[in-house]
Amino acid sequence: MYPYKIQNIQLIELIRRMCNYVDSRLMDHGFRVSRTVAHMLPALGVSDPIRRRDICLLALLHDIGAYKTEEIHRLIQFETSDVWEHSSYGYLFVKHFSPLAPIADGILYHHMPWKKLRKIQGLSPENARLGQIIYLADRLDIIQMVKPSLQENLAQLAQRKGSQFDPELMDLFLSVDWSACFEKDPLHDRAYIEMLTAAPFSKDEIRQYLYLIVSIIDFRSHHTVTHTLSAAHIAYSLAQYMGEDASACDTIAYGTLLHDLGKIAVPVHILESPGKLNEEDMNIMRSHASITDRILQGIVPDPVQKIASRHHEKLNGCGYPNGLSAKDLSTGERIAAVSDIASALTGTRSYKEAFSSEKVCAILNQMKQAGEIDPDITQCLLDHLEPILKSAELQCRPLITSLHALMQEYRNLISTGGLPDPSYS
């Protein structure tokens, strides 16, 4: 619908900053595993820049499912025997919401022992090997954390050849020169960063990755699953009705799409509270605006960052996080604020059902009269409310369809035993 401008390394940094607010250990682990996989790729004969980039990104995201499940608090262990849940969810998340769908099997099977993996019917040899590559890199990193003795750890992994790991792949793994691989942080490893950035993302890939990022936020609370995308589309339509040029419309929509990134740091029990929040919890909830600002600092253009982080500011100075007033707020920031409110009012929450158009209009008029939101922008929305909301609904429909498919597949994987249990036994 509208293009985004962001480079590979900026997009990856955006993911890193967000996930670090949940548990920095997992993202640090993801980068180390990804760099180990990158170090293996030349020996595997993978030379295509796009293929290399995508495999490294898949390895980086291999534990993304743990940000949804309860496994996040016990995942960084020497060997955990219950890893199917986060592997399944991460696989489905990447399959449905990223450009990496063709190789998503690598996440599903990244804890599957070779003796079981080779019996899976319908799994391509390439993706089976990819799962094993990530598995090897993952196990090496975990045991390195416990005992940083590379040669001893490689010997320990070699003992699992033929049972846990593909014998041919293990021989190749042991033939690689690992002596310099772990000497520096992955983010300061020039060869690794080059592998991530040599092939720039296309516009469509950027769009998909950004949708994946905001979906990480919305899926933490099922009541907000389409809120972010809906708000962005409302903002885009509203900017058009307000006569903004194409570039301004894109900027406003981009900033609105990113406006709730800071909610990654808000506990789910607060996001899904069924009643009025107490003062302490409300302060935590309000912190998401400042956290959004910190996540975006230096990654997106300044106007986009301000649109994203100022969506709760009010013209009369009663908003947050900085108590700004009308003279401080641009048209784009005002449009984002109104769009966020409209999306919230028309969507479900843990404490309310979706409001009718009549009630939405009444609340917006009340806020306009109180001097909280821009009167001209609010009136424009009220004048065109039905087509704007209809357009947003149509734009969000594919997301809902994908979500339903994801959850059905997830239930099949977890509840019906559709695939073997990847235990270590």
Side-chain angles (χ1 to χ4, degrees):
M1 179 179 176
Y2 34 82
Y4 307 106
K5 296 178 182 178
I6 190 167
Q7 297 176 354
N8 291 28
I9 198 64
Q10 294 173 315
L11 192 58
I12 292 165
E13 174 65 9
L14 190 59
I15 296 172
R16 186 190 71 84
R17 289 185 188 180
M18 280 180 51
C19 292
N20 277 354
Y21 274 101
V22 180
D23 193 317
S24 63
R25 297 172 302 165
L26 273 180
M27 189 48 59
D28 291 344
H29 170 65
F31 271 104
R32 293 193 301 269
V33 168
S34 179
R35 192 261 305 273
T36 300
V37 168
H39 199 70
M40 291 177 63
L41 293 182
L44 291 165
V46 181
S47 58
D48 178 70
I50 295 177
R51 179 73 174 170
R52 284 187 174 194
R53 179 201 69 191
D54 288 350
I55 290 175
C56 289
L57 281 168
L58 190 77
L60 175 62
L61 298 172
H62 76 280
D63 279 340
I64 195 71
Y67 289 96
K68 170 69 174 178
T69 72
E70 293 301 316
E71 294 178 34
I72 192 167
H73 301 298
R74 54 185 169 81
L75 201 61
I76 303 298
Q77 298 174 7
F78 175 60
E79 285 198 354
T80 174
S81 60
D82 183 14
V83 292
W84 194 226
E85 189 176 355
H86 88 270
S87 299
S88 298
Y89 192 85
Y91 153 73
L92 292 170
F93 200 68
V94 168
K95 174 185 173 182
H96 287 280
F97 299 102
S98 87
L100 302 176
I103 57 174
D105 282 337
I107 289 183
L108 180 62
Y109 296 111
H110 81 273
H111 282 289
M112 177 72 76
W114 171 246
K115 62 183 181 182
K116 294 185 177 182
L117 183 65
R118 62 183 178 177
K119 298 177 183 179
I120 301 294
Q121 296 184 353
L123 177 63
S124 73
E126 294 79 9
N127 283 346
R129 170 164 281 203
L130 185 53
Q132 281 276 289
I133 293 168
I134 297 175
Y135 191 14
L136 267 169
D138 174 270
R139 290 301 93 192
L140 179 59
D141 184 63
I142 294 299
I143 59 178
Q144 283 282 111
M145 291 170 62
V146 177
K147 184 180 180 181
S149 175
L150 180 60
Q151 293 307 314
E152 289 184 27
N153 292 336
L154 290 173
Q156 180 180 335
L157 290 178
Q159 293 175 2
R160 307 177 191 180
K161 174 181 173 180
S163 58
Q164 225 165 327
F165 302 116
D166 175 355
E168 181 182 344
L169 185 62
M170 175 57 77
D171 288 342
L172 192 62
F173 184 77
L174 294 174
S175 72
V176 172
D177 181 7
W178 295 103
S179 58
C181 182
F182 307 107
E183 292 180 353
K184 60 184 72 172
D185 182 277
L187 291 174
H188 297 99
D189 186 326
R190 182 176 298 178
Y192 169 61
I193 296 300
E194 172 65 20
M195 209 168 285
L196 288 173
T197 58
F201 294 129
S202 68
K203 288 183 178 180
D204 189 56
E205 287 172 330
I206 291 171
R207 177 187 58 80
Q208 289 184 68
Y209 278 118
L210 286 173
Y211 282 7
L212 181 144
I213 287 169
V214 300
S215 295
I216 292 173
I217 308 300
D218 283 356
F219 287 161
R220 297 185 71 228
S221 171
H222 69 276
H223 292 287
T224 60
V225 70
T226 61
H227 165 66
T228 302
L229 193 55
S230 171
H233 283 294
I234 291 172
Y236 186 83
S237 296
L238 188 51
Q240 287 184 313
Y241 278 114
M242 289 293 296
E244 297 294 316
D245 62 32
S247 177
C249 290
D250 290 339
T251 297
I252 293 165
Y254 190 5
T256 309
L257 185 74
L258 303 176
H259 79 281
D260 270 348
L261 295 190
K263 283 186 176 177
I264 193 75
V266 178
V268 173
H269 77 270
I270 294 178
L271 292 175
E272 296 200 327
S273 175
K276 185 177 180 180
L277 297 175
N278 60 37
E279 184 177 356
E280 180 181 358
D281 286 349
M282 180 57 76
N283 287 336
I284 293 173
M285 177 66 87
R286 286 177 172 172
S287 70
H288 82 271
S290 297
I291 293 171
T292 295
D293 192 53
R294 292 197 290 272
I295 289 173
L296 295 175
Q297 181 70 44
I299 293 179
V300 298
D302 187 63
V304 175
Q305 179 182 343
K306 288 179 177 177
I307 287 169
S309 62
R310 294 181 174 185
H311 63 282
H312 282 295
E313 299 287 359
K314 299 290 187 289
L315 301 191
N316 60 5
C318 68
Y320 64 89
N322 297 313
L324 302 179
S325 58
K327 62 181 174 58
D328 306 306
L329 300 171
S330 69
T331 298
E333 292 156 20
R334 298 178 187 207
I335 289 175
V338 173
S339 301
D340 175 56
I341 295 166
S343 176
L345 293 176
T346 55
T348 63
R349 288 291 190 272
S350 56
Y351 51 86
K352 77 170 188 68
E353 295 299 322
F355 289 160
S356 66
S357 295
E358 292 76 13
K359 189 166 185 177
V360 170
C361 291
I363 293 173
L364 288 171
N365 270 316
Q366 183 180 8
M367 296 182 73
K368 179 180 71 171
Q369 292 165 8
E372 297 181 9
I373 53 180
D374 188 283
D376 295 332
I377 293 170
T378 304
Q379 191 58 52
C380 182
L381 175 62
L382 294 174
D383 291 342
H384 304 282
L385 186 63
E386 185 175 347
I388 287 177
L389 293 182
K390 184 63 176 178
S391 175
E393 179 189 356
L394 289 173
Q395 293 293 336
C396 290
R397 193 169 293 170
L399 178 65
I400 292 293
T401 300
S402 293
L403 174 63
H404 288 165
L406 183 154
M407 296 313 298
Q408 183 59 52
E409 288 185 63
Y410 184 75
R411 286 190 291 268
N412 290 341
L413 288 173
I414 297 300
S415 301
T416 67
L419 290 168
D421 177 14
S423 66
Y424 289 91
S425 59

